[in-house]
Amino acid sequence: MSTTTIGQAVAVRDTSPAAMVEQYRDEYATLMPSHVNADQWVRLAVGAIRGDEKLMRAATTDVGVFLRELRTAARLGLEPGTEQFYLTPRKSKAHRGQLIIKGIVGYQGLVELIYRAGAVSSVIVETVRERDVFRYHPGRDERPVHEVDWFAEDRGALVGVYAYAVMKDGATSKVVVLNRAQVMAAKAKSDGAHSDYSPWKTSEEAMWLKTGARRLAKWVPTSAEYMRERLRAAAEVAAEQPESAVGAEPMPQPAEQHVDLGDEDDDAIEGELVDDTWAGGAE
């Protein structure tokens, strides 16, 4: 008669992907930014796979890959299984064509990361459809003019996307404008874009928005860059003050941080602006 120890029983019980996420909750929590609620984050991760048969099957194929993709979401402080951080099933050659989990930073995730850098007061990313009116003349206009008939039954096909940020000092960042050809070029560089499970198939407009937001991210400060500028400014002010006015406690130095967006379409196109007649109604 075979016997099973308590330790063996626990090991067997805890091998499902959902149980593994809950088991490693504390480890994920240590990776997250302080504002993220770890319990809610775990519920989202578990709910995403439990609510989708294909995702559950993909997570089960290689639980290690699934847990690693969640580490990226945790480190970035993004919610898994949402438009902040997509969890998508992808066929894997290493697993003989079986599905595994691929994590992709979404449009809302990119915008969240831009806000979190602390340099901007607002981020505008919008798609333009063929029956919209869009006007933007670089060098003359500070920001685009985009007129939409919100009550139209059909605004037409997607023709472009634009993005810019309003900085905390009121200035406008670089305005990024991409037409359909540029967005499609970015899509072509995206690994798995033609998969049935790709966000390019399931959430096309969100991926247009993401392409614009990703290009904008090149023109706004990263967290480390912005903190360095604040430290430099503080140091200059301190150097100009009398010694007695300088506080005894030094300002903490920010740690260098490289953010891996876990995406495929980076640097797909170098051009940020196309001619200003690409959208319907442009002048």
Side-chain angles (χ1 to χ4, degrees):
M1 179 177 179
S2 63
T3 59
T4 302
T5 67
I6 293 176
Q8 289 172 332
V10 171
V12 170
R13 185 188 62 197
D14 287 348
T15 55
S16 71
M20 293 292 283
V21 174
E22 293 172 342
Q23 178 180 333
Y24 287 108
R25 175 209 175 280
D26 291 344
E27 181 177 337
Y28 286 126
T30 62
L31 296 172
M32 298 173 193
S34 59
H35 71 278
V36 177
N37 183 305
D39 291 329
Q40 179 180 343
W41 187 95
V42 168
R43 284 196 296 270
L44 286 169
V46 171
I49 58 173
R50 282 182 173 166
D52 189 310
E53 182 181 347
K54 288 180 180 177
L55 278 181
M56 177 62 81
R57 187 166 68 249
T60 304
T61 298
D62 193 325
V63 177
V65 169
F66 171 53
L67 297 178
R68 187 175 68 238
E69 297 296 277
L70 288 183
R71 284 178 63 89
T72 299
R75 183 165 53 85
L76 295 175
L78 301 179
E79 298 177 341
T82 71
E83 288 193 350
Q84 287 192 2
F85 193 88
Y86 294 107
L87 295 174
T88 63
R90 297 288 181 88
K91 290 183 179 179
S92 168
K93 292 181 180 179
H95 296 80
R96 299 182 179 182
Q98 295 186 76
L99 298 175
I100 62 170
I101 292 288
K102 170 70 175 178
I104 301 176
V105 176
Y107 150 66
Q108 291 183 5
L110 275 175
V111 172
E112 168 66 17
L113 292 175
I114 292 173
Y115 272 118
R116 202 182 300 161
V120 307
S121 61
S122 62
V123 178
I124 292 82
V125 188
E126 296 287 349
T127 53
V128 181
R129 292 183 175 270
E130 61 183 350
R131 294 188 178 88
D132 296 351
V133 174
F134 181 88
R135 294 188 297 273
Y136 178 61
H137 296 273
R140 188 194 72 182
D141 301 333
E142 181 182 11
R143 302 170 188 175
V145 174
H146 183 197
E147 298 177 5
V148 177
D149 181 357
W150 297 110
F151 300 104
E153 291 186 7
D154 182 8
R155 289 171 52 201
L158 290 165
V159 294
V161 62
Y162 65 95
Y164 64 89
V166 179
M167 315 306 288
K168 286 194 171 177
D169 62 2
T172 301
S173 73
K174 171 82 173 183
V175 177
V176 173
V177 183
L178 301 173
N179 64 11
R180 169 177 284 277
Q182 290 177 297
V183 175
M184 291 301 100
K187 177 182 177 181
K189 295 288 184 71
S190 175
D191 180 33
H194 299 291
S195 164
D196 290 339
Y197 314 115
S198 170
W200 282 103
K201 289 287 187 69
T202 61
S203 306
E204 183 185 17
E205 185 165 8
M207 292 304 288
W208 281 61
L209 291 167
K210 179 189 172 178
T211 304
R214 190 175 180 93
R215 210 57 48 81
L216 174 64
K218 298 179 181 180
W219 297 97
V220 294
T222 64
S223 179
E225 288 170 348
Y226 187 57
M227 284 300 297
R228 278 197 296 269
E229 287 299 320
R230 291 180 63 185
L231 290 169
R232 186 177 299 113
E236 290 174 355
V237 171
E240 295 172 358
Q241 292 178 342
E243 186 174 349
S244 60
V246 180
E249 184 177 350
M251 183 178 293
Q253 297 292 316
E256 289 291 336
Q257 182 181 17
H258 171 69
V259 176
D260 177 6
L261 297 181
D263 202 353
E264 316 94 337
D265 56 79
D266 193 25
D267 296 326
I269 311 169
E270 293 301 324
E272 312 306 339
L273 180 67
V274 295
D275 69 87
D276 53 1
T277 61
W278 56 266
E283 296 179 350

